[in-house]
Amino acid sequence: MLKRIADWIALTNTERKVILFLVVTLLVGGGIRLYQATFSTAPQFDYRASDSTFVALSTMPEDSLAGTVKEGIGDVSGKLDINTATKEQLLDLPGIGEVTANRILTYRAETGKFSNVDELRAIKGMSKKKIENLRPLITTQ
């Protein structure tokens, strides 16, 4: 019967091999997926824990949240004032390393306070892109 179907479809030997390859690939892929679904050891993330933390923080009065903000932040908005920031606070900023923090402190000591965030451009290693990434995190007061 298979011979009659093969004769009726009239596939070449290469076409039969390609179809056989596709069928075997499909079966192996299905078997792998079935195995993963049955014997999955991947850790499942419990979203309820993070949701409960969010709910707890969102229901707290605003004055009780004041203690959760990192000490030494320059203003109420949570931005770091680069005119009063210490080296450790500058190191907490993304993209600011030991050398760049020292350069900021040296520049500030030599020229005085920054009048705006764009003045950081005068410091070696502070690219336009890095300043744009830092802009939401820093301020000059």
Side-chain angles (χ1 to χ4, degrees):
M1 176 148 166
L2 288 176
K3 177 80 171 135
R4 288 178 58 199
I5 293 173
D7 290 340
W8 178 71
I9 297 177
L11 297 175
T12 64
N13 195 23
T14 305
E15 291 171 336
R16 282 189 212 123
K17 288 178 183 177
V18 168
I19 290 175
L20 179 64
F21 172 76
L22 292 174
V23 168
V24 168
T25 304
L26 180 70
L27 291 174
V28 169
I32 290 172
R33 186 167 291 236
L34 180 65
Y35 176 81
Q36 287 175 340
T38 306
F39 302 107
S40 177
T41 59
Q44 298 293 324
F45 184 74
D46 184 15
Y47 290 98
R48 292 174 296 180
S50 60
D51 288 346
S52 63
T53 303
F54 174 75
V55 169
L57 287 174
S58 64
T59 58
M60 290 177 71
E62 285 188 31
D63 55 341
S64 66
L65 291 175
T68 61
V69 177
K70 191 173 183 180
E71 292 300 320
I73 298 292
D75 66 2
V76 179
S77 68
K79 291 184 176 186
L80 178 68
D81 185 358
I82 58 174
N83 288 322
T84 59
T86 65
K87 182 177 180 179
E88 291 76 25
Q89 291 170 329
L90 291 171
L91 288 172
D92 287 340
L93 293 171
I96 302 294
E98 185 100 16
V99 174
T100 307
N102 286 334
R103 288 179 183 159
I104 292 171
L105 294 174
T106 303
Y107 182 88
R108 190 173 69 196
E110 291 174 355
T111 61
K113 290 185 171 190
F114 294 96
S115 59
N116 61 43
V117 174
D118 293 318
E119 271 188 67
L120 286 172
R121 191 77 173 97
I123 298 171
K124 183 179 177 184
M126 293 299 291
S127 66
K128 195 174 188 180
K129 184 176 181 181
K130 188 182 284 189
I131 293 172
E132 288 306 313
N133 290 339
L134 291 173
R135 193 174 299 278
L137 305 173
I138 60 177
T139 186
T140 56
Q141 289 182 334

